């Protein structure tokens, strides 16, 4: 796990000048890799390229694992972990390859020489990488199947740069610090900017499960995997019992692979099903889990008893990290500074990552992905319940839908629930139109009040990124059930654009590698293909996951109401954090940029303080995080 950066110029620029650019970029990534730094000229001439790397040593701690790494003229700089690297290495050795290191990096490099881009499909893990192909004279950029590891790319007028973080791209001096106005509207809509856009005009996030080939005359992008298309036939016809057995085998194997490390591995434990399942799987691999839980003593948010019960059930060595308003207030400046691309979440990941790294761990396992793959979110149930009604509703006249939605808005008094219900009633009841509404933070009307109707209309003309990706998936994979389509929707949108991005930027701020075994792609492929009834039958939440684990989870964990790992911002923002919020939302903060209507922001804040039903803490915190990021980066409106 590391930080990567690099540049390519097709103008034959001075390699020494390019090295200075990469040195600035790599310097911004020191927190991701405190164990080493490397910069190398990988090509010169008409196509001049320089790669940079910051190292967090996890596998092969020796200097032989240092990067950038070369073999037979090819070069690589790589961020991530390949959990099946030993098996891929054995396959390469059978073909005559002789290795100089014990690193997974060299396995990728030699695998590319042997199989070309087909090598990426053989990798089981998380990765964002850049390869200089000496034979073709081109740059190859690749990203893992779920997009666990980030990769930002900017290309303009014969120059290209890539980096693990936006701050490194901006530090290059090549990227104009201009705000993408359409992306700003998307940010308010989904509390994040959906890939491939970012808040910086011209910088994009490479899409997951893709590799790109860059030459002077352009780029060719290839999608090498699709979650819905990879579902095996065996899972589509499996009975509930067969599915549970197959899932258990894959869960244990995923946990075993994710424990591969030359340093100790900890476990994030919240007391929910997903993190408890990961701890139980570590025990099933014959390893005593070292678990860490953030607690909020004396509050209704405190999950300490549940985390403790889960830890006791698997015989874990358990550590609790108590957190109160004063602790959070002291941590917030550093947490806000860690934001590389803002979202409405992420502070929780900062806090627990800091504690785990402080305990001496470089690696931790997380239950992230369980809700998406095993149907844990309310969206699964809501969409399933609405399906019969939707089949009738979509055939009703548009005038009826519009009138009904208007009535709901009027009766709802501006509440969040009424606003979303009305927006759902205006759809055609298909998944691509309904799902984005469920994930929206601000409605179109609210965004128009904040940003102006003209900008919101312009963003609408650019298209809804979530609707577009879901329309394509729904049209291409009609053979799968609704639950499978919703799993894909959650994984490709909220999970990719918020959860994985937050986890990466907040954990790597502390040089902590977070692994997500529930997103092992072979496990996910099997589950995505299983029938809807197999994944939803029974009274327990996430029945396929729970059933596959047998009695490994305490009933107190399984039967408790779902509670996400969220800090108690609702209370804190009206109390200890009020001053900080008002500073960021005031004339010396967000309003000084000229992007937002001052009256609308003040009204929103007043409504929140008065506990009106038309706002939530997350809507305000999204604006606070945005201003903190604008101040940190110096990005301005075009």
């Amino acid at each position: 796990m590391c930080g990567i950066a690099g540049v390519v110029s097709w103008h034959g620029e001075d390699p020494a000048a390019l090295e200075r650019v990469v040195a600035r970029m790599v310097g911004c990534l020191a927190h991701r890799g405190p164990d080493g730094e490397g910069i190398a000229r990988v090509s010169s001439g008409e196509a001049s390229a320089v790669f940079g790397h910051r190292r967090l040593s996890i596998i092969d701690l020796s200097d032989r694992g240092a990067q950038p790494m070369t073999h037979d003229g090819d070069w690589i700089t790589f961020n991530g972990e390949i959990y099946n690297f030993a098996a891929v290495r054995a396959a390469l050795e059978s073909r005559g390859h002789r290795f100089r290191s014990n690193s997974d990096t060299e396995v990728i490099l030699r695998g590319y020489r042997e199989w070309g881009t087909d090598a990426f499909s053989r990798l089981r893990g998380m990765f964002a990488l850049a390869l200089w192909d000496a034979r073709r004279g081109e740059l190859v950029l690749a990203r893992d199947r779920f997009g666990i590891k980030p990769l930002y790319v900017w290309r303009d007028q014969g120059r290209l740069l890539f980096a693990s973080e936006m701050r490194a791209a901006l530090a290059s001096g090549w990227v104009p610090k201009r705000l993408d106005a359409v992306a700003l509207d998307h940010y308010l809509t989904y509390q994040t900017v959906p890939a491939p856009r970012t808040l910086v005009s011209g910088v994009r996030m490479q899409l997951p499960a893709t590799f790109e080939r860059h030459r002077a005359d352009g780029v060719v992008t290839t999608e090498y995997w699709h979650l819905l298309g990879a579902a095996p036939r065996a899972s589509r016809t499996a009975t509930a019992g067969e599915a549970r057995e197959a899932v258990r085998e894959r869960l244990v194997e995923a946990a075993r692979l994710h424990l591969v490390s030359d340093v100790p591995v900890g476990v994030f434990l919240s007391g929910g099903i997903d993190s408890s399942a990961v701890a139980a799987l570590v025990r099933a691999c014959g390893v005593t889990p070292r678990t860490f839980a953030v607690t909020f003593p004396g509050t209704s948010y405190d999950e300490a008893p549940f985390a403790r019960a889960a830890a006791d059930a698997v015989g874990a060595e358990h550590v609790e990290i108590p957190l109160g308003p004063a602790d959070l207030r002291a941590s917030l400046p550093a947490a806000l500074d860690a934001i590389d691309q803002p979202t409405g979440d992420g502070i929780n990941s900062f806090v627990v990552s800091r504690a785990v790294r402080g305990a001496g761990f470089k690696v931790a396992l997380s239950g992230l992905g369980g809700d998406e793959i095993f149907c844990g979110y309310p969206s699964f149930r809501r969409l399933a319940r609405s399906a019969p009604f939707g089949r009738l509703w979509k055939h009703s006249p548009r005038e009826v839908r519009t009138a009904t939605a208007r009535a709901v808005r009027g009766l709802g008094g501006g509440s969040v629930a009424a606003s979303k219900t009305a927006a759902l009633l205006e759809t055609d009841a298909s998944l691509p139109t309904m799902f984005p509404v469920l994930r929206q933070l601000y409605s179109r009307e609210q965004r128009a009040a904040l940003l102006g109707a003209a900008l919101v209309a312009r963003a609408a003309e650019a298209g809804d990124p979530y609707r577009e990706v879901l329309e394509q998936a729904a049209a291409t994979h009609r053979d799968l059930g609704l639950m499978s389509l919703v799993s894909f929707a959650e994984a490709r949108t909220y999970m990719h654009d918020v959860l994985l991005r937050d986890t990466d930027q907040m954990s790597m701020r502390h040089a902590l590698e977070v692994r997500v075994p529930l997103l092992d792609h072979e496990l996910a492929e099997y589950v995505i293909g299983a029938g809807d009834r197999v994944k939803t039958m029974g009274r327990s939440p996430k029945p396929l996951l729970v059933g596959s684990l047998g009695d490994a989870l305490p009933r107190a964990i399984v039967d408790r109401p779902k509670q996400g790992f969220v800090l108690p911002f609702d209370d804190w923002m009206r109390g200890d954090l009020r001053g900080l919020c008002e500073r960021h939302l005031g004339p010396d903060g967000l309003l000084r940029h000229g992007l937002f209507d001052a009256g609308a922001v003040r009204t929103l804040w007043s409504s929140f303080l008065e506990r009106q039903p038309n706002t939530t803490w997350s809507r305000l915190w999204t604006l606070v995080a945005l201003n903190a990021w604008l101040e940190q980066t110096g990005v301005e409106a075009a």
Side-chain angles (χ1 to χ4, degrees):
M1 183 67 68
C2 310
I4 65 173
V7 300
V8 180
S9 170
W10 286 278
H11 297 314
E13 292 185 64
D14 177 15
L18 298 181
E19 280 192 36
R20 289 192 291 272
V21 172
V22 174
R24 290 196 298 270
M25 298 171 70
V26 169
C28 290
L29 301 175
H31 53 277
R32 297 182 70 95
D35 297 332
E37 176 182 310
I39 296 175
R41 300 180 187 182
V42 304
S43 176
S44 59
E46 183 179 349
S48 297
V50 176
F51 283 2
H53 190 266
R54 289 293 313 201
R55 187 182 186 195
L56 179 64
S57 303
I58 303 295
I59 293 176
D60 189 349
L61 309 185
S62 74
D63 291 341
R64 294 188 301 274
Q67 299 184 49
M69 184 181 290
T70 186
H71 166 65
D72 201 12
D74 295 340
W75 284 85
I76 187 172
T77 183
F78 155 61
N79 170 31
E81 298 291 353
I82 307 304
Y83 305 120
N84 67 332
F85 80 96
V88 179
R89 174 177 173 143
L92 289 166
E93 287 176 330
S94 71
R95 292 171 172 262
H97 288 265
R98 296 295 175 262
F99 286 78
R100 296 188 298 269
S101 74
N102 294 315
S103 71
D104 51 353
T105 307
E106 189 179 359
V107 170
I108 302 172
L109 189 58
R110 289 176 177 269
Y112 180 80
R113 176 47 64 105
E114 183 68 34
W115 300 302
T117 54
D118 288 343
F120 304 139
S121 297
R122 297 172 179 259
L123 304 180
R124 195 168 178 178
M126 54 183 180
F127 56 89
L129 61 87
L131 267 156
W132 183 258
D133 187 323
R135 291 169 296 180
R136 293 174 175 266
E138 64 185 18
L139 175 72
V140 179
L141 301 176
R143 219 171 154 219
D144 66 67
R145 292 169 177 82
F146 284 105
I148 301 169
K149 292 290 99 186
L151 189 60
Y152 293 96
V153 184
W154 173 90
R155 179 169 178 162
D156 187 49
Q157 298 181 347
R159 284 173 159 183
L160 176 147
L161 65 78
F162 62 86
S164 295
E165 295 187 5
M166 177 65 77
R167 58 172 50 89
L170 295 176
S172 69
W174 286 9
V175 178
K177 295 184 177 183
R178 294 196 304 265
L179 189 72
D180 183 328
V182 170
L184 179 60
D185 177 77
H186 290 172
Y187 176 74
L188 293 192
T189 305
Y190 295 117
Q191 69 171 315
T192 185
V193 180
R197 281 187 187 269
T198 71
L199 278 171
V200 179
S201 182
V203 179
R204 61 182 176 83
M205 171 77 82
Q206 182 170 328
L207 293 176
T210 63
F211 62 83
E212 300 179 349
R213 290 188 173 276
H214 289 268
R215 298 177 66 92
D217 57 356
V219 58
V220 176
T221 302
T222 303
E223 183 180 65
Y224 65 86
W225 181 84
H226 195 288
L227 176 58
L228 296 176
R233 291 187 176 275
S235 68
R236 300 185 186 213
T237 58
T239 65
E242 291 169 339
R244 285 194 294 269
E245 182 62 29
V247 167
R248 175 170 179 79
E249 292 176 0
R250 286 162 173 79
L251 282 168
V252 173
E253 183 185 24
R256 177 182 61 79
L257 288 172
H258 281 69
L259 287 169
V260 172
S261 172
D262 292 336
V263 298
V265 178
V267 180
F268 290 166
L269 185 60
S270 68
I273 290 175
D274 300 334
S275 62
S276 300
V278 170
L281 290 167
V282 170
R283 170 56 73 187
C285 293
V287 177
T288 300
R290 291 286 302 274
T291 55
F292 297 84
V294 174
T295 67
F296 310 109
T299 72
S300 60
Y301 298 89
D302 192 17
E303 296 184 274
F306 298 103
R308 207 172 300 126
D312 290 344
V314 299
E317 297 178 17
H318 187 57
V319 176
E320 293 184 351
I321 307 158
L323 186 70
D327 302 311
L328 180 64
R329 188 172 62 249
S331 303
L332 269 180
L336 289 172
D337 185 60
I339 294 174
D340 187 56
Q341 275 283 278
T343 70
D345 206 346
I347 305 301
N348 47 4
S349 298
F350 179 92
V351 172
V352 69
S353 295
R354 180 181 59 188
V356 174
R357 190 64 169 96
F361 285 78
K362 287 184 176 182
V363 181
L365 304 185
S366 165
L368 195 159
D371 281 323
E372 291 78 8
I373 303 304
F374 289 97
C375 309
Y377 287 127
S379 58
F380 288 90
R381 296 184 294 278
R382 290 170 184 164
L383 289 166
R385 287 196 301 265
S386 68
F389 170 76
R391 285 191 285 270
L392 296 173
W393 184 249
K394 69 179 180 180
H395 296 298
S396 62
R398 181 180 295 275
E399 295 78 10
V400 172
R401 298 184 211 166
T402 302
T404 306
R406 188 183 304 117
V408 169
R409 284 193 178 93
L411 293 171
S415 70
V416 173
S419 178
K420 287 209 170 188
T421 301
L424 288 170
L425 290 170
E426 290 173 328
T427 71
D428 64 4
S430 66
L431 177 65
T433 59
M434 293 181 71
F435 179 84
V437 173
L438 295 178
R439 277 294 172 202
Q440 283 183 7
L441 185 67
Y442 285 100
S443 68
R444 177 166 181 156
E445 294 77 16
Q446 290 167 328
R447 300 195 315 271
L450 287 166
L451 298 175
L455 173 55
V456 173
R458 177 182 160 197
E461 291 176 2
D464 185 313
Y466 283 3
R467 178 170 178 171
E468 290 169 1
V469 72
L470 297 181
E471 283 178 337
Q472 181 181 5
T476 307
H477 301 282
R478 299 178 185 274
D479 56 325
L480 293 173
L482 176 63
M483 295 298 98
S484 296
L485 292 173
V486 178
S487 277
F488 169 76
E490 291 287 5
R492 179 59 184 78
T493 61
Y494 179 67
M495 185 185 82
H496 174 266
D497 294 327
V498 177
L499 298 181
L500 289 174
R501 193 180 302 178
D502 284 350
T503 298
D504 176 83
Q505 62 189 5
M506 293 304 186
S507 62
M508 290 305 292
R509 189 65 170 186
H510 304 289
L512 177 74
E513 173 180 297
V514 175
R515 300 178 176 184
V516 283
L518 298 184
L519 288 181
D520 173 77
H521 78 270
E522 293 192 10
L523 168 66
E525 288 171 358
Y526 187 92
V527 176
I528 206 72
D532 285 2
R533 187 168 181 273
V534 169
K535 288 186 284 194
T536 58
M537 66 187 298
R539 302 177 64 180
S540 68
K542 288 177 265 197
L544 183 52
L545 175 59
V546 172
S548 69
L549 294 173
D551 58 358
L553 300 182
R555 293 310 305 180
I557 302 298
V558 174
D559 295 335
R560 62 176 294 214
K562 181 173 177 57
Q563 178 178 334
F565 177 33
V566 178
L567 299 176
F569 275 98
D570 195 57
D571 293 331
W572 291 354
M573 286 172 64
R574 295 185 180 96
D576 292 66
L577 302 182
R578 179 169 175 171
L580 178 142
C581 292
E582 290 180 340
R583 205 282 292 173
H584 277 291
L585 297 174
D588 295 327
L590 188 68
L591 299 183
R592 73 178 179 85
H593 301 286
L595 299 168
F596 288 81
D597 181 88
V601 173
R602 285 194 290 267
T603 298
L604 196 65
W605 178 244
S606 297
S607 297
F608 170 74
L609 293 177
E610 296 167 3
R611 300 184 184 273
Q612 296 296 316
N614 63 338
T615 191
T616 59
W617 72 265
S618 57
R619 290 180 174 173
L620 275 304
W621 186 255
T622 299
L623 300 183
V624 170
L626 173 64
N627 184 66
W629 180 81
L630 290 170
E631 292 182 347
Q632 173 206 130
T633 60
V635 171
E636 296 285 352

